[in-house]
Structure formats: C-alpha cells, structure tokens
Amino acid sequence: RNEYIQKAIAAGKHVYLEKPMGGEVAELDALIQSAANAGVQWLDGTMWYHSPRTLEIADKLASGAIGKVLRVSASFTFKAPNDEW
C-alpha cells in the first residue's frame, strides 16, 4: 500500500488516505514528510481527528483543565445536513 501512496506523492498528487495508514509509525512519518517535501497535501480520512470538538478536548487534557481521565465512552454520530441524506 505504501508503495502506491509514494508513487502518487512522487507524481505530485495530493493524498487523501483512509485507515489503515502507513503501517508502522516510522512508515507513516516518512510518507507525511515525503508529501511535505513534494509540496502536496496530505489528509487523513478520519473525520474526528480534525474536529473542533476533538481539538478542544485535546487542549483541555493537555492543560489539565478536566483532570485525570479514568474512563471514556463515545459514539460516532452527526447531524445530516438535510432530509436527502
């Protein structure tokens, strides 16, 4: 899989990648760096990763604002933009 991703980057194509991505952390880091060096955009297909809610919680965890987390329960939901969905 990484071979095809690298070929796309080398061809100057922007990369949108669903999980699983890259295999090992070092492989993924190398692909992301390769995209940066080639001047192409890299976007992971995990929508919650870039969500403002996720970023806000990450900031609160890092600052200690919500204390020590003992347990997390989550659901994947979203409001459809219209009835046609």
Coordinates of all heavy atoms in Angstrom, one line a residue:
R1 N 0.8 -1.2 0.0 CA 0.0 0.0 0.0 C 0.9 1.3 0.0 O 0.6 2.2 -0.7 CB -0.9 -0.1 1.2 CG -1.8 1.2 1.4 CD -2.6 1.0 2.6 NE -3.3 2.3 2.9 CZ -4.6 2.5 2.9 NH1 -5.4 1.5 2.7 NH2 -5.1 3.6 3.1
N2 N 1.9 1.3 0.8 CA 2.7 2.5 0.9 C 3.4 2.8 -0.4 O 3.7 3.9 -0.8 CB 3.8 2.3 2.0 CG 3.2 2.3 3.4 OD1 2.0 2.6 3.5 ND2 3.9 2.0 4.4
E3 N 3.7 1.8 -1.2 CA 4.4 1.9 -2.5 C 3.5 2.8 -3.4 O 4.0 3.6 -4.1 CB 4.7 0.5 -3.0 CG 4.8 0.4 -4.5 CD 4.9 -1.0 -5.0 OE1 4.9 -2.0 -4.2 OE2 5.0 -1.2 -6.2
Y4 N 2.2 2.5 -3.4 CA 1.3 3.2 -4.3 C 1.1 4.7 -3.8 O 1.0 5.6 -4.6 CB -0.1 2.5 -4.4 CG 0.1 1.2 -5.0 CD1 0.0 0.0 -4.3 CD2 0.3 1.1 -6.4 CE1 0.1 -1.2 -4.9 CE2 0.4 -0.1 -7.0 CZ 0.3 -1.3 -6.3 OH 0.5 -2.5 -6.9
I5 N 1.1 4.8 -2.5 CA 1.0 6.2 -1.9 C 2.2 7.0 -2.3 O 2.1 8.1 -2.7 CB 0.8 6.1 -0.4 CG1 -0.4 5.4 0.0 CG2 0.9 7.5 0.3 CD1 -0.5 5.0 1.5
Q6 N 3.4 6.4 -2.2 CA 4.6 7.1 -2.5 C 4.6 7.4 -4.0 O 5.1 8.5 -4.4 CB 5.8 6.2 -2.2 CG 7.1 6.9 -2.3 CD 7.2 8.2 -1.4 OE1 6.9 8.2 -0.2 NE2 7.5 9.3 -2.0
K7 N 4.1 6.6 -4.9 CA 4.1 6.8 -6.3 C 3.2 8.0 -6.6 O 3.5 8.9 -7.4 CB 3.6 5.6 -7.1 CG 4.6 4.5 -7.2 CD 4.1 3.4 -8.0 CE 5.1 2.3 -8.1 NZ 4.6 1.1 -8.9
A8 N 2.0 8.1 -5.9 CA 1.1 9.2 -6.0 C 1.8 10.5 -5.6 O 1.7 11.6 -6.3 CB -0.2 9.0 -5.2
I9 N 2.5 10.5 -4.5 CA 3.2 11.7 -4.0 C 4.3 12.1 -5.0 O 4.4 13.3 -5.3 CB 3.8 11.4 -2.6 CG1 2.7 11.3 -1.6 CG2 4.8 12.5 -2.2 CD1 3.2 10.8 -0.2
A10 N 5.0 11.2 -5.5 CA 6.1 11.5 -6.5 C 5.5 12.0 -7.7 O 6.2 12.8 -8.4 CB 6.9 10.2 -6.8
A11 N 4.3 11.7 -8.1 CA 3.6 12.2 -9.3 C 3.0 13.6 -9.0 O 2.3 14.1 -9.9 CB 2.6 11.2 -9.8
G12 N 3.1 14.1 -7.8 CA 2.6 15.4 -7.5 C 1.1 15.4 -7.1 O 0.4 16.4 -7.2
K13 N 0.6 14.3 -6.8 CA -0.8 14.1 -6.4 C -1.1 14.4 -4.9 O -0.3 13.9 -4.1 CB -1.4 12.7 -6.8 CG -1.1 12.3 -8.2 CD -1.9 13.2 -9.1 CE -1.8 12.7 -10.6 NZ -2.4 13.5 -11.5
H14 N -2.1 15.1 -4.6 CA -2.5 15.3 -3.2 C -3.0 13.9 -2.7 O -3.6 13.1 -3.5 CB -3.6 16.3 -3.1 CG -3.1 17.7 -3.5 ND1 -2.1 18.4 -2.9 CD2 -3.6 18.5 -4.5 CE1 -1.9 19.5 -3.5 NE2 -2.8 19.6 -4.5
V15 N -2.8 13.7 -1.4 CA -3.2 12.3 -0.9 C -4.3 12.4 0.1 O -4.2 13.2 1.1 CB -1.9 11.7 -0.3 CG1 -2.3 10.3 0.4 CG2 -0.8 11.5 -1.3
Y16 N -5.4 11.7 -0.1 CA -6.5 11.5 0.9 C -6.4 10.1 1.2 O -6.6 9.2 0.4 CB -7.8 11.9 0.3 CG -9.0 11.6 1.2 CD1 -9.3 12.5 2.2 CD2 -9.7 10.5 1.0 CE1 -10.4 12.2 3.0 CE2 -10.8 10.2 1.9 CZ -11.1 11.0 2.9 OH -12.2 10.7 3.7
L17 N -6.2 9.7 2.5 CA -6.0 8.4 2.8 C -6.9 7.9 4.0 O -6.9 8.5 5.0 CB -4.5 8.2 3.3 CG -4.0 6.8 3.5 CD1 -4.1 6.0 2.2 CD2 -2.6 6.8 3.9
E18 N -7.6 6.9 3.7 CA -8.5 6.2 4.7 C -7.6 5.3 5.6 O -6.5 4.9 5.1 CB -9.6 5.4 4.1 CG -10.6 6.3 3.4 CD -11.6 6.9 4.3 OE1 -11.7 6.5 5.4 OE2 -12.3 7.8 3.8
K19 N -8.0 4.9 6.7 CA -7.3 4.0 7.5 C -7.4 2.6 7.0 O -8.4 2.3 6.3 CB -7.7 4.1 9.0 CG -9.2 3.8 9.2 CD -9.6 4.1 10.6 CE -11.1 4.0 10.7 NZ -11.6 4.3 12.0
P20 N -6.5 1.7 7.2 CA -5.3 1.9 7.9 C -4.3 2.7 7.1 O -4.2 2.5 5.9 CB -4.8 0.5 8.2 CG -5.3 -0.3 7.0 CD -6.6 0.3 6.7
M21 N -3.5 3.5 7.8 CA -2.5 4.3 7.1 C -1.1 3.9 7.5 O -0.8 3.7 8.6 CB -2.7 5.8 7.5 CG -4.0 6.4 7.1 SD -4.0 8.1 7.5 CE -4.5 8.0 9.2
G22 N -0.3 3.7 6.5 CA 1.2 3.6 6.7 C 1.8 2.4 7.4 O 3.0 2.2 7.2
G23 N 1.1 1.7 8.1 CA 1.7 0.6 8.8 C 2.3 1.0 10.1 O 1.6 1.5 11.0
E24 N 3.6 1.0 10.2 CA 4.3 1.4 11.4 C 4.4 2.9 11.5 O 4.3 3.6 10.4 CB 5.8 0.8 11.4 CG 5.8 -0.7 11.4 CD 5.3 -1.3 12.7 OE1 5.6 -0.7 13.8 OE2 4.6 -2.3 12.7
V25 N 4.6 3.5 12.7 CA 4.7 4.9 12.8 C 5.8 5.5 12.0 O 5.5 6.6 11.3 CB 4.9 5.3 14.3 CG1 5.2 6.8 14.5 CG2 3.7 4.9 15.2
A26 N 6.9 4.9 11.9 CA 8.0 5.4 11.1 C 7.7 5.5 9.6 O 8.0 6.4 8.9 CB 9.3 4.6 11.3
E27 N 6.9 4.5 9.1 CA 6.5 4.5 7.7 C 5.5 5.6 7.5 O 5.6 6.3 6.4 CB 5.8 3.2 7.4 CG 6.7 1.9 7.5 CD 5.9 0.7 7.3 OE1 5.2 0.2 8.3 OE2 5.9 0.2 6.1
L28 N 4.6 5.8 8.4 CA 3.6 6.9 8.2 C 4.3 8.3 8.3 O 4.1 9.2 7.4 CB 2.6 6.8 9.3 CG 1.4 7.9 9.2 CD1 0.8 7.9 7.8 CD2 0.4 7.6 10.3
D29 N 5.3 8.4 9.2 CA 6.0 9.7 9.3 C 6.8 10.0 8.0 O 6.8 11.1 7.5 CB 7.0 9.6 10.4 CG 6.4 9.8 11.8 OD1 5.2 10.3 11.9 OD2 7.0 9.5 12.8
A30 N 7.4 8.9 7.4 CA 8.1 9.1 6.2 C 7.2 9.5 5.0 O 7.6 10.3 4.2 CB 8.8 7.8 5.8
L31 N 6.0 8.9 5.0 CA 5.1 9.3 3.9 C 4.6 10.8 4.1 O 4.5 11.5 3.1 CB 3.8 8.4 3.9 CG 4.1 7.0 3.4 CD1 2.8 6.1 3.7 CD2 4.4 6.9 2.0
I32 N 4.3 11.2 5.3 CA 3.9 12.5 5.5 C 5.0 13.5 5.2 O 4.8 14.5 4.6 CB 3.4 12.7 7.0 CG1 2.1 11.9 7.2 CG2 3.2 14.2 7.3 CD1 1.7 11.8 8.7
Q33 N 6.2 13.2 5.6 CA 7.4 14.0 5.2 C 7.6 14.1 3.7 O 7.9 15.1 3.2 CB 8.7 13.5 5.9 CG 9.8 14.5 5.8 CD 9.6 15.8 6.3 OE1 9.2 16.0 7.5 NE2 9.8 16.9 5.6
S34 N 7.4 13.0 3.1 CA 7.6 12.9 1.6 C 6.5 13.8 0.9 O 6.9 14.5 0.0 CB 7.4 11.5 1.1 OG 7.5 11.4 -0.2
A35 N 5.3 13.8 1.4 CA 4.3 14.7 0.9 C 4.6 16.1 1.1 O 4.5 17.0 0.2 CB 2.9 14.4 1.5
A36 N 5.1 16.5 2.3 CA 5.5 17.9 2.6 C 6.7 18.3 1.7 O 6.7 19.4 1.1 CB 6.0 18.0 4.1
N37 N 7.7 17.4 1.5 CA 8.8 17.7 0.6 C 8.4 17.9 -0.8 O 8.9 18.7 -1.6 CB 9.9 16.6 0.7 CG 10.5 16.6 2.0 OD1 10.5 17.5 2.8 ND2 11.2 15.5 2.3
A38 N 7.3 17.2 -1.3 CA 6.8 17.3 -2.6 C 5.9 18.4 -2.8 O 5.5 18.7 -3.9 CB 6.2 15.9 -3.0
G39 N 5.5 19.1 -1.7 CA 4.6 20.2 -1.8 C 3.1 19.8 -2.1 O 2.3 20.5 -2.6
V40 N 2.8 18.5 -1.7 CA 1.4 18.1 -1.9 C 0.7 18.0 -0.5 O 1.4 17.8 0.5 CB 1.3 16.7 -2.6 CG1 1.9 16.8 -4.0 CG2 2.0 15.6 -1.9
Q41 N -0.6 18.1 -0.5 CA -1.3 18.0 0.7 C -1.6 16.6 1.1 O -1.8 15.7 0.3 CB -2.6 18.7 0.6 CG -2.4 20.2 0.4 CD -3.7 21.0 0.3 OE1 -4.8 20.5 0.6 NE2 -3.7 22.2 -0.2
W42 N -1.6 16.3 2.4 CA -1.9 15.0 3.0 C -3.1 15.2 3.9 O -3.1 16.1 4.7 CB -0.7 14.6 3.8 CG -0.9 13.3 4.6 CD1 -1.6 13.2 5.8 CD2 -0.5 12.0 4.3 NE1 -1.6 11.9 6.2 CE2 -1.0 11.2 5.3 CE3 0.2 11.5 3.2 CZ2 -0.7 9.8 5.3 CZ3 0.5 10.1 3.2 CH2 0.0 9.3 4.2
L43 N -4.1 14.4 3.7 CA -5.3 14.4 4.5 C -5.7 13.0 4.9 O -5.9 12.2 4.0 CB -6.4 15.1 3.8 CG -7.8 15.2 4.5 CD1 -7.7 16.1 5.7 CD2 -8.9 15.7 3.6
D44 N -5.8 12.8 6.2 CA -6.2 11.5 6.6 C -7.8 11.5 6.6 O -8.4 12.5 6.8 CB -5.7 11.2 8.0 CG -6.4 12.0 9.1 OD1 -5.8 13.1 9.4 OD2 -7.4 11.6 9.6
G45 N -8.3 10.4 6.3 CA -9.8 10.2 6.1 C -10.5 10.0 7.4 O -11.6 9.4 7.4
T46 N -9.9 10.3 8.5 CA -10.6 10.1 9.8 C -11.2 11.4 10.3 O -10.5 12.3 10.7 CB -9.6 9.6 10.9 OG1 -8.9 8.5 10.3 CG2 -10.3 9.2 12.2
M47 N -12.5 11.6 10.1 CA -13.1 12.9 10.3 C -13.0 13.4 11.7 O -12.9 14.6 11.9 CB -14.5 12.9 9.8 CG -15.5 12.3 10.6 SD -17.1 12.4 9.8 CE -18.0 13.4 11.0
W48 N -13.0 12.6 12.7 CA -13.0 13.1 14.1 C -11.6 13.7 14.4 O -11.5 14.5 15.3 CB -13.4 12.0 15.1 CG -12.5 10.9 15.1 CD1 -12.6 9.7 14.5 CD2 -11.3 10.7 15.9 NE1 -11.6 8.8 14.8 CE2 -10.7 9.5 15.6 CE3 -10.6 11.6 16.7 CZ2 -9.6 9.0 16.2 CZ3 -9.4 11.1 17.3 CH2 -8.9 9.9 17.0
Y49 N -10.6 13.3 13.8 CA -9.2 13.7 14.1 C -9.1 15.2 14.0 O -8.4 15.9 14.8 CB -8.2 13.0 13.2 CG -6.8 13.3 13.6 CD1 -6.2 12.6 14.7 CD2 -6.0 14.1 12.9 CE1 -4.9 12.9 15.1 CE2 -4.7 14.3 13.2 CZ -4.1 13.7 14.3 OH -2.8 13.9 14.7
H50 N -9.8 15.8 13.0 CA -9.7 17.3 12.7 C -10.9 18.0 13.3 O -11.0 19.2 13.1 CB -9.5 17.5 11.2 CG -8.3 16.9 10.7 ND1 -7.1 17.3 10.9 CD2 -8.2 15.8 9.9 CE1 -6.2 16.5 10.3 NE2 -6.9 15.6 9.6
S51 N -11.7 17.4 14.0 CA -12.9 18.0 14.5 C -12.6 19.1 15.6 O -11.7 18.8 16.4 CB -13.8 17.0 15.1 OG -14.8 17.5 16.0
P52 N -13.3 20.2 15.5 CA -13.0 21.2 16.6 C -13.3 20.7 18.0 O -12.6 21.0 18.9 CB -14.0 22.3 16.2 CG -14.3 22.2 14.8 CD -14.2 20.7 14.5
R53 N -14.2 19.8 18.1 CA -14.5 19.2 19.4 C -13.3 18.3 19.9 O -12.9 18.4 21.1 CB -15.7 18.3 19.3 CG -17.0 19.1 19.1 CD -18.2 18.1 19.1 NE -19.4 18.8 18.6 CZ -20.3 18.3 17.9 NH1 -20.2 17.1 17.5 NH2 -21.3 19.0 17.5
T54 N -12.8 17.6 19.0 CA -11.6 16.7 19.4 C -10.4 17.6 19.7 O -9.7 17.3 20.7 CB -11.2 15.8 18.2 OG1 -12.3 15.0 17.9 CG2 -10.0 15.0 18.5
L55 N -10.2 18.7 19.0 CA -9.0 19.6 19.3 C -9.2 20.3 20.6 O -8.3 20.4 21.4 CB -8.9 20.6 18.2 CG -8.5 20.0 16.8 CD1 -8.5 21.0 15.7 CD2 -7.2 19.2 16.8
E56 N -10.5 20.6 20.9 CA -10.8 21.3 22.2 C -10.5 20.3 23.4 O -9.9 20.7 24.4 CB -12.2 21.8 22.2 CG -12.6 22.5 23.5 CD -14.0 23.0 23.5 OE1 -14.7 23.0 22.5 OE2 -14.5 23.4 24.6
I57 N -11.0 19.1 23.2 CA -10.8 18.1 24.3 C -9.3 17.9 24.5 O -8.8 17.8 25.6 CB -11.5 16.8 24.0 CG1 -13.0 17.1 24.2 CG2 -11.1 15.7 24.9 CD1 -13.9 16.0 23.8
A58 N -8.5 17.8 23.4 CA -7.1 17.5 23.4 C -6.4 18.7 24.2 O -5.5 18.4 25.0 CB -6.5 17.4 22.0
D59 N -6.8 19.9 23.9 CA -6.3 21.1 24.6 C -6.6 21.0 26.1 O -5.7 21.3 27.0 CB -6.8 22.4 24.1 CG -6.3 22.7 22.7 OD1 -5.2 22.1 22.3 OD2 -6.9 23.6 22.0
K60 N -7.8 20.6 26.5 CA -8.2 20.5 27.9 C -7.5 19.4 28.6 O -7.1 19.6 29.8 CB -9.7 20.3 28.0 CG -10.5 21.6 27.7 CD -12.0 21.4 27.8 CE -12.7 22.7 27.5 NZ -14.1 22.6 27.7
L61 N -7.2 18.3 27.9 CA -6.5 17.2 28.5 C -5.0 17.7 28.7 O -4.4 17.4 29.8 CB -6.5 16.0 27.6 CG -7.8 15.2 27.6 CD1 -7.8 14.2 26.4 CD2 -8.0 14.5 28.9
A62 N -4.4 18.3 27.7 CA -3.0 18.7 27.8 C -2.8 19.8 29.0 O -1.8 19.8 29.6 CB -2.6 19.3 26.5
S63 N -3.8 20.6 29.2 CA -3.7 21.7 30.2 C -4.1 21.2 31.6 O -3.8 21.9 32.6 CB -4.6 22.9 29.8 OG -5.9 22.6 30.0
G64 N -4.7 20.0 31.7 CA -5.1 19.5 33.0 C -6.5 20.1 33.4 O -6.9 19.9 34.5
A65 N -7.1 20.8 32.5 CA -8.4 21.5 32.8 C -9.5 20.6 33.2 O -10.4 21.0 34.0 CB -8.9 22.4 31.7
I66 N -9.5 19.3 32.8 CA -10.6 18.4 33.1 C -10.1 17.3 34.0 O -10.8 16.3 34.3 CB -11.3 17.8 31.9 CG1 -10.3 17.1 31.0 CG2 -11.9 18.9 31.1 CD1 -11.0 16.4 29.8
G67 N -8.9 17.4 34.5 CA -8.4 16.4 35.5 C -8.0 15.1 34.8 O -7.9 15.0 33.6
K68 N -7.7 14.1 35.7 CA -7.3 12.8 35.2 C -8.5 12.1 34.6 O -9.5 11.9 35.3 CB -6.7 12.0 36.4 CG -6.1 10.7 36.0 CD -5.5 10.0 37.1 CE -5.0 8.6 36.7 NZ -4.4 7.9 37.8
V69 N -8.3 11.6 33.4 CA -9.4 10.8 32.8 C -9.3 9.4 33.2 O -8.3 8.7 33.0 CB -9.3 11.0 31.2 CG1 -10.4 10.1 30.5 CG2 -9.4 12.4 30.8
L70 N -10.4 8.9 33.7 CA -10.4 7.5 34.2 C -11.1 6.6 33.2 O -10.9 5.4 33.2 CB -11.1 7.4 35.6 CG -10.4 8.2 36.7 CD1 -11.2 8.1 37.9 CD2 -9.0 7.8 36.9
R71 N -12.1 7.1 32.5 CA -12.9 6.3 31.5 C -13.4 7.2 30.4 O -13.8 8.4 30.7 CB -14.0 5.6 32.3 CG -14.8 4.7 31.4 CD -15.9 4.0 32.2 NE -16.7 3.2 31.3 CZ -17.7 2.5 31.6 NH1 -18.0 2.4 32.9 NH2 -18.3 1.8 30.8
V72 N -13.5 6.7 29.2 CA -14.1 7.4 28.1 C -15.2 6.5 27.4 O -14.9 5.4 27.2 CB -13.0 7.8 27.1 CG1 -13.7 8.4 25.8 CG2 -12.0 8.7 27.7
S73 N -16.3 7.1 27.2 CA -17.4 6.5 26.4 C -17.7 7.4 25.3 O -18.0 8.6 25.5 CB -18.6 6.2 27.3 OG -19.6 5.6 26.6
A74 N -17.8 6.9 24.0 CA -18.0 7.8 22.9 C -18.9 7.1 21.9 O -19.0 5.9 21.8 CB -16.7 8.2 22.3
S75 N -19.6 7.9 21.1 CA -20.4 7.5 20.0 C -20.1 8.2 18.7 O -19.7 9.4 18.8 CB -21.9 7.7 20.3 OG -22.3 6.9 21.4
F76 N -20.2 7.6 17.6 CA -20.0 8.3 16.3 C -21.4 8.7 15.8 O -22.1 7.8 15.4 CB -19.3 7.4 15.3 CG -19.1 8.1 14.0 CD1 -18.1 9.1 13.8 CD2 -19.9 7.7 12.9 CE1 -18.0 9.7 12.6 CE2 -19.7 8.4 11.7 CZ -18.8 9.3 11.5
T77 N -21.7 10.0 15.8 CA -22.9 10.5 15.3 C -22.7 11.8 14.6 O -21.7 12.5 14.9 CB -24.0 10.7 16.4 OG1 -23.5 11.6 17.3 CG2 -24.3 9.4 17.1
F78 N -23.6 12.2 13.7 CA -23.5 13.5 13.2 C -24.9 13.9 12.7 O -25.8 13.0 12.4 CB -22.5 13.7 12.0 CG -22.9 12.8 10.8 CD1 -23.5 13.4 9.7 CD2 -22.5 11.5 10.7 CE1 -23.8 12.7 8.6 CE2 -22.8 10.8 9.6 CZ -23.5 11.4 8.5
K79 N -25.2 15.2 12.6 CA -26.5 15.7 12.1 C -26.4 15.8 10.6 O -25.6 16.5 10.1 CB -26.8 17.0 12.7 CG -28.1 17.6 12.3 CD -28.4 18.9 13.1 CE -29.6 19.6 12.6 NZ -30.8 19.0 12.4
A80 N -27.2 15.1 9.9 CA -27.3 15.1 8.4 C -27.7 16.5 8.0 O -28.6 17.1 8.7 CB -28.2 14.1 7.9
P81 N -27.1 17.1 6.9 CA -27.4 18.4 6.6 C -28.8 18.7 6.0 O -29.3 19.8 6.1 CB -26.4 18.8 5.5 CG -25.9 17.4 5.0 CD -26.1 16.5 6.1
N82 N -29.5 17.6 5.6 CA -30.8 17.7 5.1 C -31.5 16.4 5.0 O -30.9 15.3 5.2 CB -30.8 18.4 3.7 CG -30.0 17.7 2.7 OD1 -30.1 16.5 2.5 ND2 -29.2 18.4 1.9
D83 N -32.8 16.3 4.6 CA -33.5 15.1 4.6 C -33.1 14.1 3.5 O -33.4 12.9 3.5 CB -35.0 15.4 4.5 CG -35.6 16.0 5.7 OD1 -35.0 15.8 6.8 OD2 -36.7 16.6 5.6
E84 N -32.4 14.6 2.5 CA -32.0 13.8 1.3 C -30.9 12.8 1.7 O -30.6 11.9 1.0 CB -31.5 14.7 0.2 CG -32.7 15.5 -0.4 CD -32.3 16.4 -1.5 OE1 -31.1 16.4 -2.0 OE2 -33.1 17.2 -1.9
W85 N -30.2 13.1 2.8 CA -29.1 12.2 3.3 C -29.8 10.9 3.7 O -29.3 9.9 3.8 CB -28.4 12.9 4.4 CG -27.2 13.6 3.9 CD1 -27.1 14.6 3.0 CD2 -25.8 13.4 4.3 NE1 -25.8 15.0 2.8 CE2 -25.0 14.3 3.6 CE3 -25.2 12.5 5.2 CZ2 -23.6 14.3 3.7 CZ3 -23.8 12.6 5.3 CH2 -23.1 13.5 4.6

